[in-house]
Every structure is written in C-alpha cells, then in structure tokens.
Amino acid sequence: ARLRAGADELHLGVPGSLTYGADAFARQNVSRDDLHLDIAHTGAASAMTVTFAGLHQNLDYVDPSLATQNPTLDGRTQVSLRDVVGAGPSTLTVGVDFVRESAVLANIAQYDAKSNLTGYATTGQTQSQSALYAQEQYTLRDGIQLRGGMRGENDAPLGSAATPSVGFGVPLATGLRLLVNAGTAF
C-alpha cells in the first residue's frame, strides 16, 4: 500500500492591463488538497492495483477595486482498478475507472442588457465518468514493441465514446527508444 497526500497554495498577481480594468492589487489565490491511496497485489505474472483518490481545490479571484471575491470550489473523487498481466512477450493491461467531479462558482456578477449590475448568483455542476479500458503490448525478438488499446467511457451528462489507440516503439541504442503513438480522446 502507498499513501500520498499533498497540499499547496498559490497567490498570483493578475498580470498586465485587462479590458475590464482589474485593480493593480487584484489576486488569484489557489489552494489544493489531495489524497491518493494505492493498494497493489503482485503475483507471478500480474500486478493488480486499486486506487482511491480525492482532490479539493479552491480558486479565488479577488479584486479590491470592485470589492468582489469570486471563489470557484471544485472536487474530484476517483476509484480505479487496474490489472497488468505479462506472459512472455505479451503484456495485457485492463482496468476500470469511476470518477465524480463537482464545481461551485460563487458570487458571479449578473448584468442586464445595458451592462448594469443587477446582482450576484451562485451556480454548481456535477459530472461523473465511468470507463473500461484494455491495452495489449507485444514485444518482437528485436525489441520492437507494438501496442493497441481501446477505452470505452461514459461521461454524464456528455455521452459515451470509444477511443482507440495504437503505437510502436523501436530501440535505437542502449537506453534510447523511439516511441510513436496515435490515439483519440473524448
């Protein structure tokens, strides 16, 4: 088992002149906290890993001249299961991912048709993803590797897609390999 935890803070000035006239003291503040737990079991020809992960992020834009603060809070939780099975020159990787993300945008300025401020609103959104994937890698006698994979995923509310990938690797010298990969994303 391996447990990793992290926390970081960024406090950035907003650079340059912006068309809406940000104050010279405007700031973008970001704080992130994350936690990952990997539990692995290794057998004679396979390695199975279960991963639990969570992330919380707060992005806060502060402009003193407008007396506003616009925080964006988002979070992500993930559970993944992956199995890598090797047999001679062949390595098969299969897995499944389940992810849920949420975001809340607070204090969003609302304007009428004449650009007059009418008030502030808060909105939120959630999204989930589930995916099943497999990749086969085969190594030829001269060290050339051939790869092919497929990922099927369902992103709610966006829909489903199957995304293929192919690739190969050619050894050029000791410790040097040329890799070529092509794939699609959703």
Side-chain angles (χ1 to χ4, degrees):
R2 180 174 68 168
L3 179 65
R4 296 172 287 157
D8 61 75
E9 300 259 344
L10 300 169
H11 301 280
L12 307 171
V14 178
S17 163
L18 301 174
T19 57
Y20 61 86
D23 187 289
F25 296 102
R27 296 288 179 261
Q28 176 179 303
N29 303 314
V30 181
S31 63
R32 288 187 206 108
D33 300 308
D34 65 285
L35 186 67
H36 297 264
L37 174 62
D38 297 317
I39 302 171
H41 174 73
T42 304
S46 70
M48 182 176 287
T49 305
V50 177
T51 300
F52 302 95
L55 168 76
H56 179 266
Q57 176 175 277
N58 180 9
L59 171 70
D60 196 11
Y61 176 77
V62 180
D63 188 344
S65 69
L66 300 175
T68 62
Q69 187 170 350
N70 297 99
T72 301
L73 308 169
D74 62 270
R76 175 183 174 97
T77 55
Q78 177 174 345
V79 176
S80 299
L81 174 65
R82 181 181 68 234
D83 194 18
V84 180
V85 180
S90 174
T91 303
L92 175 65
T93 302
V94 295
V96 61
D97 295 327
F98 299 100
V99 179
R100 180 168 175 82
E101 293 188 62
S102 62
V104 174
L105 287 76
N107 214 18
I108 306 302
Q110 305 291 302
Y111 298 94
D112 64 16
K114 296 180 181 178
S115 298
N116 296 316
L117 181 66
T118 60
Y120 297 91
T122 296
T123 185
Q125 186 70 33
T126 62
Q127 182 173 327
S128 63
Q129 178 190 73
S130 56
L132 177 64
Y133 61 90
Q135 176 179 298
E136 173 66 27
Q137 176 178 292
Y138 191 83
T139 304
L140 302 173
R141 290 183 192 259
D142 55 1
I144 295 174
Q145 294 176 334
L146 305 174
R147 290 184 204 87
M150 180 66 76
R151 179 179 174 93
E153 61 184 63
N154 179 25
D155 290 324
L158 302 175
S160 298
T163 56
S165 63
V166 295
F168 66 91
V170 178
L172 300 177
T174 303
L176 183 62
R177 174 181 298 274
L178 171 67
L179 298 174
V180 176
N181 293 297
T184 61
F186 177 63

